[in-house]
Amino acid sequence: MTDTVSRDTQAVTPPPERSYAKLAADESREDYSLRYAPHSFRRWSPSMVAGTALGGIAYLADFAIGASIVFTYGFTSGLASILTAAVIIFLTGIPIARACATYGLDMDLVTRGAGFGYFGSTLTSLIYASFTFIFFALEGSIMAQAMHQAVGLPLEIGYLVTTLIVIPIVFKGMGALAKVQAWTQPVWIIGLVLPFLVLAFEAPDAWGAFASFGGTEGAGSGFSWIGFGLGTGVALSLIAQIGEQADYLRFMPARTEQNKRRWNLAVLAAGPGWVIIGAAKQLGGAFLAFVALEAVGKTHALEPIAPQIEALKPWLGSVALPAAALFVIVSQIKINVTNAYSGSLSWANFFSRITHRHPGRVWYIFLNLAIALTLMEMNMFAALGKLLGFYSNVGIAWIAAVAADLVINKRIGLSPPHIEFKRAYLHAVNPAGFGAMVIASTVSILAFFGLFGAYAEAFSTFIAAGLALLLCPLIAWATKGRYYLARPNPVWGYTRAEGSGGGADAVGDITATHTCAVCETAYELPDIADCPVRSGPICSLCCSLDAECGDVCRKDPSASVPVPLPLPTVRTD
């Protein structure tokens, strides 16, 4: 992690105090990974951003997760689990998606300003990074299984191939990701629909038999509260997927009177809307696995490639294997470029705050992929249910706390109405969100391991969600919201005073650029802080990387006089 500092005393014009390493300075690759996404960079239409974001949900882990739930707990309990988890994920995703799209911020930056504080969100960066490499490993395992079936490639080598294949795409950033998602979409849609179309003609009674399926573990076809709770916990492990959707939604163009209907629909569809397709895929994957169960056995039925082949055989015969393998490989590339991309953003956010250095997000692609490859080689696919059930306790506590701040705290005035993400204005830790998440996840993990009995174990994720939703506003109320801002931000004070709110609707007020006193690069106003140490504006990343300022502006705002930022003219039209 290096920032090169040039101090050529012979130069007539002094060089900037910080010049970023080549990869970190190239925003065509960097995609404003640690910053606010400026309006000048948000050149895609709402439909293009939404299409790219939804391309990332092509993954087949849904198939494996749905099959695992139904095989373990039976159809009735499994169906209730999948639908309940989908409702929870959808509702918590709405405010997060809108915040990310409105303010041009990724999940980590939103978390900072939504109750966690500058360093408090480092823990959630690790949680999110864990989500990306766990699911990269899961999706990579599915792709390796397909290559093993199709060409006999050993799984160990397949794991390596699935890891290396995404690097060139992820390296190039959002532009390359958008093209890959668009080009592969027709193949994916055909491959997704075709097996169900074949079964509709060749096995029309299969759905009726599936509805009375009692699982493979003796759960029975009736409803079980224990099975419902445990199954919901597994399905809720996908709740952090909203973070990956947000990594695309931050590039939404400004919402205007002309595009607001398309903008709202795109944000809803590409944000929380992913889970509607996701829940359908879980049920569809369970159905395909059920149909293939007798032919391939339980172990292979849980691997998406085998049920695909069995479903296609009546129509495609010997071509079923290569056709199914193509669909699986395309699906896994579509999702794993997203997993690797989002993981690089999360690791970059984490290490920039810990080390005060940033070499560029692309280097963290290799860290994320190395961890994912290790998990694949350890055969984490075999422990799918337990791993995801445990993870969901932490993931839902985080997401629920952020949603509680956006929906409750900001609406009733317990937290500022805008999202503040810059170090210069935030406390290190905000107990409202951070405390709520830590308490909720701790209690729910204890419940998950059986400390409070069988029912608490089964409903541990409900405990996590309920506590986080309750504690976040309670702690904010008890602390009177004083841990949200270390000092006022003159920019947001200005835009609020003019009634704009500082979001996408205020684009005319905030797109003026100002030059950072450290790196001497121009950034839009929301990415700039007033720095008394530098006696001028400082960009958010230079502020994060400053290891020598001692946080003077935050620790004792009254001891230093902030440097007023030059503010743009108010738009009156």
Side-chain angles (χ1 to χ4, degrees):
M1 302 180 185
T2 57
D3 292 319
T4 57
V5 180
S6 173
R7 297 187 182 278
D8 184 1
T9 57
Q10 302 301 315
V12 176
T13 302
E17 294 184 48
R18 176 180 288 111
S19 57
Y20 289 101
K22 184 178 180 180
L23 289 176
D26 183 1
E27 292 298 350
S28 66
R29 300 179 190 273
E30 188 69 0
D31 283 349
Y32 296 88
S33 61
L34 307 185
R35 300 181 181 276
Y36 155 86
H39 289 283
S40 60
F41 190 74
R42 302 186 216 175
R43 56 184 180 271
W44 297 277
S45 67
S47 58
M48 173 63 80
V49 176
T52 304
L54 287 174
I57 67 165
Y59 55 86
L60 297 183
D62 270 340
F63 280 37
I65 290 170
S68 176
I69 292 171
V70 173
F71 275 28
T72 305
Y73 307 112
F75 174 81
T76 304
S77 298
L79 174 64
S81 297
I82 291 168
L83 295 181
T84 300
V87 170
I88 294 172
I89 292 172
F90 187 85
L91 293 177
T92 55
I94 292 173
I96 293 172
R98 291 187 65 84
C100 292
T102 298
Y103 289 95
L105 304 176
D106 66 18
M107 190 67 201
D108 180 82
L109 301 186
V110 167
T111 299
R112 292 185 196 179
F116 282 72
Y118 182 72
F119 278 110
S121 64
T122 55
L123 178 58
T124 64
S125 293
L126 287 179
I127 295 170
Y128 184 32
S130 299
F131 175 86
T132 64
F133 63 65
I134 286 173
F135 277 89
F136 187 102
L138 178 56
E139 308 295 349
S141 297
I142 293 171
M143 192 195 301
Q145 291 161 4
M147 291 189 290
H148 177 70
Q149 287 271 86
V151 298
L153 188 70
L155 286 175
E156 292 75 13
I157 298 176
Y159 297 148
L160 180 61
V161 172
T162 63
T163 301
L164 297 178
I165 199 171
V166 303
I167 292 177
I169 303 168
V170 181
F171 199 85
K172 293 182 179 180
M174 174 66 176
L177 291 169
K179 291 177 182 177
V180 167
Q181 300 296 3
W183 292 343
T184 55
Q185 201 73 340
V187 174
W188 179 75
I189 292 174
I190 293 171
L192 179 68
V193 173
L194 187 57
F196 299 100
L197 185 63
V198 173
L199 291 175
F201 284 94
E202 301 296 332
D205 298 330
W207 277 108
F210 180 52
S212 60
F213 180 50
T216 58
E217 310 298 323
S221 58
F223 179 80
S224 164
W225 283 106
I226 295 290
F228 166 68
L230 291 171
T232 304
V234 175
L236 280 173
S237 63
L238 292 165
I239 196 166
Q241 176 66 31
I242 189 62
E244 294 196 345
Q245 304 307 113
D247 288 337
Y248 294 113
L249 288 173
R250 65 196 176 107
F251 297 122
M252 273 286 176
R255 183 181 57 212
T256 64
E257 283 297 319
Q258 291 73 30
N259 75 357
K260 67 179 181 180
R261 182 172 297 179
R262 288 182 290 114
W263 191 96
N264 288 331
L265 181 61
V267 171
L268 187 67
W274 76 266
V275 78
I276 298 174
I277 301 174
K281 285 166 58 190
Q282 288 178 50
L283 291 172
F287 174 64
L288 293 180
F290 165 74
V291 173
L293 180 59
E294 185 175 344
V296 304
K298 176 187 172 183
T299 299
H300 291 300
L302 293 173
E303 300 172 356
I305 179 66
Q308 288 280 327
I309 295 171
E310 292 300 313
L312 294 175
K313 275 182 179 178
W315 283 12
L316 301 186
S318 61
V319 183
L321 173 55
L326 176 63
F327 168 66
V328 172
I329 291 170
V330 167
S331 298
Q332 302 318 89
I333 289 175
K334 284 169 74 68
I335 180 54
N336 266 355
V337 294
T338 297
N339 282 327
Y341 179 71
S342 295
S344 70
L345 298 178
S346 187
W347 284 119
N349 270 300
F350 175 78
F351 281 110
S352 68
R353 278 170 288 173
I354 299 299
T355 66
H356 296 287
R357 302 177 77 83
H358 179 58
R361 73 156 183 94
V362 295
W363 293 108
Y364 296 109
I365 297 171
F366 302 102
L367 171 62
N368 212 52
L369 296 186
I371 298 173
L373 179 59
T374 301
L375 290 176
M376 283 188 276
E377 298 291 355
M378 293 170 60
N379 192 26
M380 58 83 68
F381 190 84
L384 177 65
K386 277 291 183 185
L387 178 64
L388 298 184
F390 171 79
Y391 178 84
S392 63
N393 288 280
V394 182
I396 196 170
W398 164 36
I399 298 299
V402 173
D405 183 84
L406 296 174
V407 174
I408 301 172
N409 295 5
K410 292 193 182 303
R411 289 181 181 272
I412 64 177
L414 292 174
S415 68
H418 63 277
I419 305 290
E420 182 55 73
F421 68 95
K422 295 180 286 295
R423 173 190 178 187
Y425 303 109
L426 293 173
H427 286 282
V429 176
N430 185 343
F434 182 78
M437 184 198 73
V438 170
I439 295 170
S441 58
T442 299
V443 173
S444 66
I445 288 172
L446 292 176
F448 177 78
F449 284 109
L451 188 64
F452 307 126
Y455 278 93
E457 178 182 353
F459 287 87
S460 63
T461 50
F462 289 84
I463 294 172
L467 282 177
L469 287 169
L470 178 66
L471 289 174
C472 184
L474 279 179
I475 296 173
W477 171 78
T479 57
K480 301 187 187 319
R482 62 177 177 271
Y483 291 101
Y484 280 90
L485 296 177
R487 64 184 179 114
N489 182 342
V491 171
W492 293 118
Y494 169 83
T495 55
R496 289 299 297 176
E498 299 300 335
S500 69
D505 290 326
V507 59
D509 298 334
I510 62 177
T511 56
T513 60
H514 302 289
T515 301
C516 173
V518 179
C519 65
E520 297 184 2
T521 303
Y523 294 99
E524 289 182 10
L525 195 56
D527 205 30
I528 290 288
D530 56 309
C531 180
V533 174
R534 301 292 180 176
S535 298
I538 185 172
C539 71
S540 63
L541 184 52
C542 283
C543 182
S544 289
L545 301 180
D546 196 329
E548 301 174 355
C549 69
D551 292 323
V552 170
C553 62
R554 296 192 312 176
K555 291 179 178 178
D556 187 8
S558 63
S560 60
V561 179
V563 178
L565 294 177
L567 295 170
T569 304
V570 178
R571 184 179 63 184
T572 57
D573 57 331

